[in-house]
Amino acid sequence: PALPHFSDFTEMMRALGYPRLISMENFHTPNFMLVAEVLLWLVKRYEPESDIPGDVETEQDRVFFIKAVAQFMATKAHIKLNTKKLYQADGYAVKELLKVTSVLYGAMSTQGGERPDPPEEDSSKFKFDLGSKIADLKAARQLASEITSKGAVLYDLLGKEVELREARTESIARPLEINEAEKVMKTAIKSVLEEVQKTKDMLNNVALDEANLEAKIEKRKLELERSQKRLQTLQSIRPAFMDEYEKVEEQLQKQYSTYLEKFRNLTYMEQLLDDHRRTEQEMFE
């Protein structure tokens, strides 16, 4: 098949620092090993810590590899790849690879990255981690939602400012009584101390519950060990009357063989008798 934009693909791969030279002849016939190598390299450029297996020896391994790469690109980079075209590993696969390389190339150009060093040198300095950008995008969306909700609450509070201004002015104009303020402060301190005591009691109860749970866990472990030992003992002991059971079972097999033999003989004799009766009936007629 024709390879549209193949020169763009090779140029982008070279700019991204791919260590091998790719030519049009590589895709005149299906070349799955090269496609798998390029895909794995692009995945590592997106996320160096990715754990996609690179084993593509069997057909099942190749199918699993293509599905894993497509799922990774869809979730991490929001790039939809055609798995059938990738599996063909020909010119149509280049179109799918171009979707990934164009995003990487555009990101590198946006960040002002220079062209990487030659392949023999370390090209890891230009790695691009899109996962962090996606995390930043999610954080930005969450912050935008929080800003909207906080703005609505602030608008409602500002609407009550007219009523609150009068009460605030009246409270400021009223002279401060030391005894009343002292009484309010003592009440507040008492309330805080009660809350602190409640918190301490809750912490003590948590520690006690934790100790009880640890004791129960230890008890269950001992019971499990005893049950396992008992099971091993029961498995190692030969059941009673096992010898007699085996002898009876052996005799039963012999009796069953004899029964089968007699049953076949009886059936054969009955068939002969039927034939004889049929012959006599024919002669009589």
Side-chain angles (χ1 to χ4, degrees), residues 57-253:
E57 295 297 330
T58 64
E59 180 180 353
Q60 185 177 3
D61 293 337
R62 294 183 179 185
V63 173
F64 178 78
F65 174 78
I66 292 296
K67 287 183 177 180
V69 171
Q71 184 177 4
F72 174 85
M73 288 300 174
T75 55
K76 296 292 185 179
H78 301 286
I79 300 175
K80 185 178 181 180
L81 299 177
N82 191 317
T83 54
K84 292 183 179 179
K85 292 183 179 180
L86 286 177
Y87 191 81
Q88 289 178 357
D90 53 10
Y92 292 106
V94 176
K95 296 180 181 180
E96 304 304 314
L97 295 175
L98 191 59
K99 296 178 183 179
V100 184
T101 54
S102 60
V103 174
L104 275 174
Y105 185 79
M108 186 182 69
S109 301
T110 303
Q111 291 180 349
E114 299 177 357
R115 306 184 79 172
D117 296 335
E120 59 270 8
E121 298 183 7
D122 184 14
S123 62
S124 62
K125 62 178 68 177
F126 294 101
K127 288 181 178 178
F128 176 71
D129 187 5
L130 192 61
S132 61
K133 300 299 180 183
I134 295 177
D136 294 341
L137 179 60
K138 292 181 179 179
R141 289 178 178 175
Q142 184 177 1
L143 288 175
S145 177
E146 292 180 359
I147 290 173
T148 303
S149 60
K150 295 294 177 64
V153 174
L154 181 60
Y155 179 80
D156 294 337
L157 293 177
L158 289 176
K160 300 178 182 179
E161 174 61 19
V162 178
E163 299 177 1
L164 296 177
R165 186 186 300 115
E166 297 179 359
R168 185 172 60 252
T169 303
E170 183 181 354
S171 298
I172 293 174
R174 188 174 57 187
L176 180 63
E177 297 181 2
I178 301 298
N179 294 331
E180 184 178 356
E182 184 180 1
K183 182 179 179 181
V184 172
M185 290 299 297
K186 287 182 178 180
T187 304
I189 292 172
K190 183 179 179 181
S191 177
V192 171
L193 291 177
E194 290 178 354
E195 292 294 332
V196 171
Q197 187 61 36
K198 288 181 180 179
T199 304
K200 289 181 178 179
D201 294 339
M202 292 175 63
L203 291 174
N204 293 332
N205 293 334
V206 169
L208 183 60
D209 293 341
E210 184 179 1
N212 293 334
L213 288 175
E214 290 179 354
K216 290 181 179 179
I217 292 172
E218 189 66 25
K219 183 179 179 181
R220 295 295 183 184
K221 286 182 179 179
L222 294 176
E223 292 179 358
L224 177 61
E225 291 178 359
R226 286 196 296 267
S227 299
Q228 290 178 346
K229 290 180 180 179
R230 184 179 178 185
L231 177 61
Q232 293 175 359
T233 304
L234 292 174
Q235 290 176 346
S236 61
I237 296 176
R238 187 177 178 82
F241 308 107
M242 192 64 185
D243 296 336
E244 183 179 358
Y245 171 78
E246 290 178 352
K247 291 180 181 179
V248 173
E249 187 177 12
E250 184 178 356
Q251 294 176 1
L252 178 61
Q253 291 292 335

